[in-house]
Amino acid sequence: MKEPLVIGGVSVARGEIRRIDLPVVHLYTGTEMAIQVYVQRGTRPGPTMFVCAALHGDELNGIEIISRLIRSRALKSLRGTLIAVPVVNVYGVLEQSRYLPDRRDLNRSFPGSSKGSLAARMAHVFLEEIVSKCEYGIDLHTGAIHRSNLPQIRADLDAPETLEMARAFGVPVLLNSTLRDGSLRQAAADLGTRILLYEAGEALRFDEFCIRAGVKGVLNVMRHLKMLPQGRRKSAIEPFVARRSGWLRASESGIVNHHKGLGDHVVKGELLATISNLYGEELGIVECNADGIVIGRQNIPLVQEGEAMYHIAYFHEPHEVADNLGLLQDSLLPDENF
């Protein structure tokens, strides 16, 4: 890395902590809209890693994960550089919306352009000022409105270095995910930045379990990259890689009674939900199509025919994955100080 590190025209030397407002555009009123960036550099050399949240403006868990991360006592021993961006999509958070005012999805707008749409300009600034200066990154997400995701890592697990980062994060479910055109992961990969996507929880909600798993996971990755010293050794959570996953959809429109939840081990033919009419008469059922683990689920008890209801990750050893989810819950004690 070139010294000093410069973000948004602000220089950050080794050993410094800086909070930087990264200008993007102006509101109708002329008020400047800026992305807030926290930069902490250790006195000793090491990797540069970014952690970002709220690329989708309604996905809030990551904001709290980053808040707790930058207040962690562990960072006193930092080697290298941590760049933390609690809110990328400032517009979306203000509006509690996944999208930008131009109705574009920021995570389908990379690499962006300095002369393009609002989404393209925001993507361009973030890529040039943050991602291009990092060897590693962690992008924090949640499920959509009325949908929850089990804590999981999605990444290109065919890349050995990325796979090792994913294993180090410390959640039981790793989902091999292809790169999508226009995504931050795709743009980061084109720059040679190794990146993980952490999915956990539901839009517009804080989930304490998902937040604590996220904070611990980021610190685990930093220890793996030797940005932080190794902590006290504990029983490692053995992750399992799912090479495929799929959504099971509603057979009818109606009122839903769920029989399975996030993290449940399900087997082929098992009843997941029943769909009834307003009089309680059964209209249809949702059955599992193969052995696996529920990694995503619709929460609202109303469904339209064909609507996605259960996201199943398919494993050869789903019972072991379920057991390790229990270990993860036990490891995240309320009084544990990260």
Side-chain angles (χ1 to χ4, degrees):
M1 175 184 290
K2 295 179 181 179
E3 293 293 345
L5 171 66
V6 179
I7 296 176
V10 178
S11 296
V12 188
R14 287 183 182 174
E16 284 191 324
I17 296 175
R18 298 294 295 269
R19 298 182 182 183
I20 301 168
D21 287 342
L22 190 60
V24 182
V25 292
H26 289 80
L27 300 177
Y28 302 125
T29 59
T31 303
E32 186 175 74
M33 178 67 72
I35 298 172
Q36 295 184 2
V37 182
Y38 173 93
V39 184
Q40 181 168 346
R41 304 198 66 194
T43 56
R44 294 171 294 176
T48 301
M49 184 179 86
F50 76 87
V51 183
C52 70
L55 206 63
H56 294 132
D58 58 358
E59 300 182 1
L60 307 181
N61 268 340
I63 299 174
E64 180 65 12
I65 290 172
I66 290 177
S67 175
R68 296 186 192 185
L69 172 68
I70 63 180
R71 290 183 285 118
S72 171
R73 292 188 300 179
L75 295 189
K76 292 180 179 179
S77 303
L78 177 67
R79 300 173 74 105
T81 302
L82 172 67
I83 302 175
V85 185
V87 175
V88 181
N89 184 354
V90 182
Y91 279 105
V93 171
L94 288 174
E95 295 295 325
Q96 299 177 21
S97 169
R98 179 181 180 88
Y99 303 106
L100 287 159
D102 56 7
R103 295 303 299 166
R104 285 180 168 85
D105 184 335
L106 182 56
N107 206 25
R108 297 293 179 269
S109 302
F110 288 91
S113 166
S114 61
K115 298 180 180 179
S117 66
L118 172 61
R121 292 176 187 225
M122 188 173 288
H124 173 76
V125 168
F126 187 71
L127 197 65
E128 292 296 313
E129 293 287 351
I130 305 297
V131 182
S132 67
K133 297 169 184 178
C134 299
E135 294 97 342
Y136 306 99
I138 301 177
D139 184 18
L140 306 173
H141 286 262
T142 75
I145 296 288
H146 304 311
R147 298 183 189 277
S148 293
N149 282 333
L150 185 76
Q152 61 195 262
I153 288 293
R154 300 181 185 180
D156 176 13
L157 302 179
D158 292 324
E161 189 175 6
T162 305
L163 175 60
E164 290 308 307
M165 286 173 59
R167 289 185 177 279
F169 195 97
V171 291
V173 175
L174 311 181
L175 186 59
N176 192 51
S177 180
T178 56
L179 298 173
R180 291 190 176 186
D181 291 342
S183 69
L184 173 58
R185 284 207 302 131
Q186 174 71 69
D190 290 343
L191 292 174
T193 303
R194 300 293 186 188
I195 186 169
L196 303 179
L197 190 152
Y198 175 62
E199 282 274 5
E202 180 184 4
L204 297 176
R205 300 287 184 273
F206 274 0
D207 183 301
E208 184 64 20
F209 171 61
C210 296
I211 291 168
R212 294 183 68 79
V215 176
K216 186 174 183 178
V218 173
L219 292 173
N220 283 344
V221 171
M222 294 179 73
R223 292 186 178 103
H224 168 73
L225 297 174
K226 296 183 171 54
M227 296 177 70
L228 297 175
Q230 292 296 325
R232 293 175 297 170
R233 288 196 170 273
K234 298 182 179 180
S235 299
I237 302 297
E238 178 62 31
F240 292 84
V241 176
R243 290 289 169 179
R244 63 187 185 95
S245 68
W247 280 93
L248 301 180
R249 298 181 179 274
S251 57
E252 303 285 346
S253 299
I255 311 300
V256 179
N257 277 304
H258 289 284
H259 302 296
K260 293 295 180 179
L262 292 179
D264 283 348
H265 168 208
V266 291
V267 298
K268 185 175 182 179
E270 188 169 7
L271 179 65
L272 304 182
T274 55
I275 303 171
S276 305
N277 63 19
L278 297 179
Y279 300 103
E281 297 164 340
E282 185 178 298
L283 300 175
I285 62 174
V286 180
E287 290 182 330
C288 192
N289 60 344
D291 292 7
I293 294 289
V294 179
I295 63 169
R297 200 195 77 168
Q298 177 202 46
N299 293 327
I300 191 170
L302 307 171
V303 71
Q304 293 287 341
E305 182 178 350
E307 191 171 353
M309 293 182 64
Y310 287 90
H311 191 191
I312 309 296
Y314 303 110
F315 296 92
H316 293 301
E317 52 288 281
H319 61 287
E320 295 181 32
V321 181
D323 290 343
N324 279 356
L325 286 169
L327 292 176
L328 176 62
Q329 290 175 317
D330 292 342
S331 72
L332 297 174
L333 300 175
D335 59 351
E336 183 172 356
N337 192 320
F338 298 121

